[in-house]
Amino acid sequence: MSVQIIVGAQWGDEGKGKIVDHLSHSADIVARYQGGANAGHTVILPPARKGEPDAEFVLHLIPSGIFHPKVTCVIGNGVVIDPAALMNEINQLRSAGIKINGRLLISHNAHLIMPYHKLLDSAREQGEQKIGTTGRGIGPAYIDKYNRIGIRVVDLLDRDTLSKKLRLNIEEKNQILSKIYGSKKLDVDEIISEYQEFDKLIDEYVTDTSRFLAEALRRKKKILAEGAQGALLDVDHGTYPYVTSSSPTSGGACTGLGLPPTAISSIMGVAKAYCTRVGHGPFPTELENEIGERMRTIGGEFGATTGRPRRCGWIDLVSLRYSIRVNGIQKLAITKLDVLDDFGEINVCTAYLVDGKRMDEFPTDVPTLERVVPVYETFKGWKMKTTNARKFSDLPLKAQSYVRALRKRLKTEISMVSVGPRRDQTLFVR
Ligand code: IMP
């Protein structure tokens, strides 16, 4: 059995896209298991012709294995699909010469994002319960899924069912929306015909992906399960309520793809050499100062989906140890090490203090997390460019020591280090 899960070990934006693209070299299938178009997985490809610039793609729904022609990409049942965003992505990839047909499979059980989900998402963000969502309708879509009134991909294939389900949903949502937006109401017939159009576009990709994956396992195929967001945004294990509405942690891969836990062979976590967060919620090592600003500028820390500036801070080993435990992470990929190249001193949070008492476990309750004071260990910066390193031993000794120190303190193998967005800026650690 070979299913490797790739999870974000922080608050998302760890660079999973690049790592999944890299690992796709030796995979047969890459399958996304949760989230929706709130994710933005960036992959940089070498230029098609000499002298041309690198090509940058930001994937929101399609798995990051799509750039490897032999890889089949699966959007699992745990994903919530915005059909318009998906079609957009398919068209963009096609116009860049990437073949999609026969290589993309969409679960018939995945739920759909509807226009009212986005309206409800942004309405909530106007009020006191706002948490800084991406506004992509994710929370309201998962609410409908768990309320058993969601509309699934399979519904698109049967016009009568679709129209009946949509009518009931829209009538109910219109009542809620008219309370919020006054007279603003959704037109039932307009939405029905818009979504019925998706049926034609999506039809060729739809299948029972759980069955497809089971058959692939039987034939000894290698599967990568790609998570979106990060463990600390998990609806169960994250910093609730400042979380997303799905399960980015490794457990979500089984339910989100219809794979049994016994099929999982390894779990890799991806973490930045520092830490970022978008949206509201506690962030113990956040640097609301000139150092944080520098990290944001050097690291280009602006949301790949919304363009929002990301909050930046030092790496937090308390939360990472928690993430390693909850996900069962066996190996880590450390990304964006190069962003720290110019810092004279680099801090690593090794514990928290709460009311003067040391705390080594990550508290997931927000009031405690908001009160913790990070305990830092300071490392001397290497003050040298690492972007040209092609093997771990090319790194300045102080950068090597930093990575080794993380490994020692996390008691977890670090198998990859990334020193830039390009494919060749990936180092394997032995
Ligand atoms: P939602 O997933 O749009 O409902 O947003 C809930 C929280 O998760 C917000 O704080 C978002 O900023 C955050 N979030 C959602 N998707 C991502 C992501 O891909 N990267 C980082 N943060 C995310």
Side-chain angles (χ1 to χ4, degrees):
M1 296 260 183
S2 176
V3 180
Q4 180 175 24
I5 304 177
I6 315 296
V7 289
Q10 295 161 319
W11 277 287
D13 307 318
E14 297 92 351
K16 294 177 291 295
K18 175 185 162 164
I19 300 298
V20 171
D21 170 64
H22 208 87
L23 296 172
S24 298
H25 281 292
S26 55
D28 299 298
I29 296 164
V30 180
R32 220 346 248 283
Y33 60 85
Q34 45 69 235
N38 49 349
H41 293 172
T42 307
V43 179
I44 308 273
L45 299 185
R49 274 173 291 276
K50 231 181 161 186
E52 285 182 1
D54 292 334
E56 180 180 303
F57 290 90
V58 181
L59 301 167
H60 302 285
L61 286 159
I62 296 182
S64 308
I66 198 71
F67 304 104
H68 296 263
K70 287 194 187 127
V71 168
T72 302
C73 289
V74 171
I75 299 181
N77 56 276
V79 177
V80 282
I81 300 174
D82 179 342
L86 178 63
M87 291 323 300
N88 214 355
E89 213 165 305
I90 290 177
N91 290 336
Q92 267 178 20
L93 289 168
R94 274 201 187 124
S95 53
I98 307 226
K99 185 176 169 272
I100 306 288
N101 295 46
R103 298 189 49 224
L104 177 66
L105 300 175
I106 300 172
S107 167
H108 63 326
N109 284 340
H111 280 245
L112 296 175
I113 300 262
M114 307 300 296
Y116 44 79
H117 292 140
K118 290 187 207 162
L119 289 171
L120 290 167
D121 194 359
S122 54
R124 186 194 143 135
E125 287 296 300
Q126 313 299 318
E128 282 194 7
Q129 287 184 317
K130 67 170 183 247
I131 58 162
T133 72
T134 59
R136 299 298 188 267
I138 305 298
Y142 279 112
I143 290 175
D144 280 0
K145 170 173 174 170
Y146 288 98
N147 199 19
R148 294 152 297 179
I149 55 167
I151 295 176
R152 302 194 293 176
V153 168
V154 66
D155 298 324
L156 286 177
L157 310 181
D158 175 353
R159 286 177 174 240
D160 290 338
T161 316
L162 176 67
S163 152
K164 203 166 135 201
K165 278 193 164 187
L166 267 175
R167 205 166 284 282
L168 285 172
N169 255 294
I170 295 169
E171 273 161 18
E172 187 216 301
K173 297 299 190 300
N174 259 339
Q175 286 177 19
I176 306 170
L177 287 167
S178 60
K179 279 192 202 135
I180 304 167
Y181 290 109
S183 61
K184 193 170 173 183
K185 282 195 180 181
L186 294 163
D187 187 283
V188 181
D189 295 318
E190 213 173 273
I191 298 179
I192 290 176
S193 59
E194 186 192 343
Y195 273 68
Q196 282 181 336
E197 280 305 298
F198 287 128
D199 142 32
K200 286 188 218 131
L201 301 170
I202 230 172
D203 191 33
E204 63 185 301
Y205 307 111
V206 179
T207 191
D208 179 344
T209 51
S210 163
R211 205 165 140 192
F212 168 80
L213 292 173
E215 179 56 21
L217 281 177
R218 205 184 56 75
R219 289 190 288 126
K220 306 262 182 286
K221 299 287 181 196
K222 278 183 149 185
I223 301 172
L224 287 182
E226 179 180 22
Q229 291 83 46
L232 304 178
L233 286 173
D234 187 282
V235 69
D236 284 282
H237 305 291
T239 51
Y240 193 88
Y242 301 100
V243 292
T244 191
S245 300
S246 64
S247 304
T249 45
S250 55
C254 292
T255 48
L257 293 173
L259 282 172
T262 45
I264 310 302
S265 45
S266 65
I267 300 163
M268 175 184 259
V270 185
K272 274 181 190 157
Y274 49 101
C275 195
T276 61
R277 172 164 207 169
V278 211
H280 308 315
F283 180 2
T285 59
E286 181 171 15
L287 294 162
E288 290 176 282
N289 55 19
E290 181 266 335
I291 305 175
E293 286 283 338
R294 268 176 72 204
M295 275 181 187
R296 185 174 309 119
T297 312
I298 301 170
E301 295 295 356
F302 297 89
T305 299
T306 59
R308 290 181 291 176
R310 296 180 185 139
R311 299 156 65 192
C312 297
W314 298 118
I315 196 165
D316 178 352
L317 302 191
V318 184
S319 65
L320 268 178
R321 279 195 296 264
Y322 168 74
S323 190
I324 289 166
R325 170 168 72 77
V326 172
N327 286 296
I329 291 170
Q330 295 149 321
K331 285 179 192 174
L332 277 168
I334 298 290
T335 58
K336 299 189 101 165
L337 184 73
D338 55 298
V339 174
L340 300 180
D341 282 357
D342 206 27
F343 287 79
E345 284 189 335
I346 296 163
N347 283 335
V348 170
C349 168
T350 52
Y352 297 152
L353 288 181
V354 186
D355 303 328
K357 271 203 196 133
R358 190 184 161 99
M359 185 181 241
D360 293 298
E361 276 288 320
F362 185 70
T364 48
D365 69 292
V366 166
T368 309
L369 257 182
E370 275 170 347
R371 281 192 310 134
V372 303
V373 178
V375 177
Y376 286 117
E377 188 177 343
T378 303
F379 291 79
K380 274 250 163 295
W382 41 94
K383 297 284 262 172
M384 274 167 81
K385 210 167 140 182
T386 57
T387 47
N388 294 327
R390 292 296 172 268
K391 16 185 226 309
F392 187 70
S393 57
D394 291 342
L395 289 176
L397 289 178
K398 287 199 180 85
Q400 294 187 30
S401 305
Y402 179 69
V403 174
R404 288 207 183 94
L406 298 182
R407 180 185 65 189
K408 194 168 162 201
R409 282 152 190 74
L410 292 168
K411 296 189 178 65
T412 304
E413 184 188 338
I414 292 173
S415 60
M416 286 165 98
V417 174
S418 165
V419 290
R422 293 200 319 263
R423 280 176 172 171
D424 61 350
Q425 293 172 310
T426 315
L427 322 176
F428 291 91
V429 189
R430 293 190 209 290

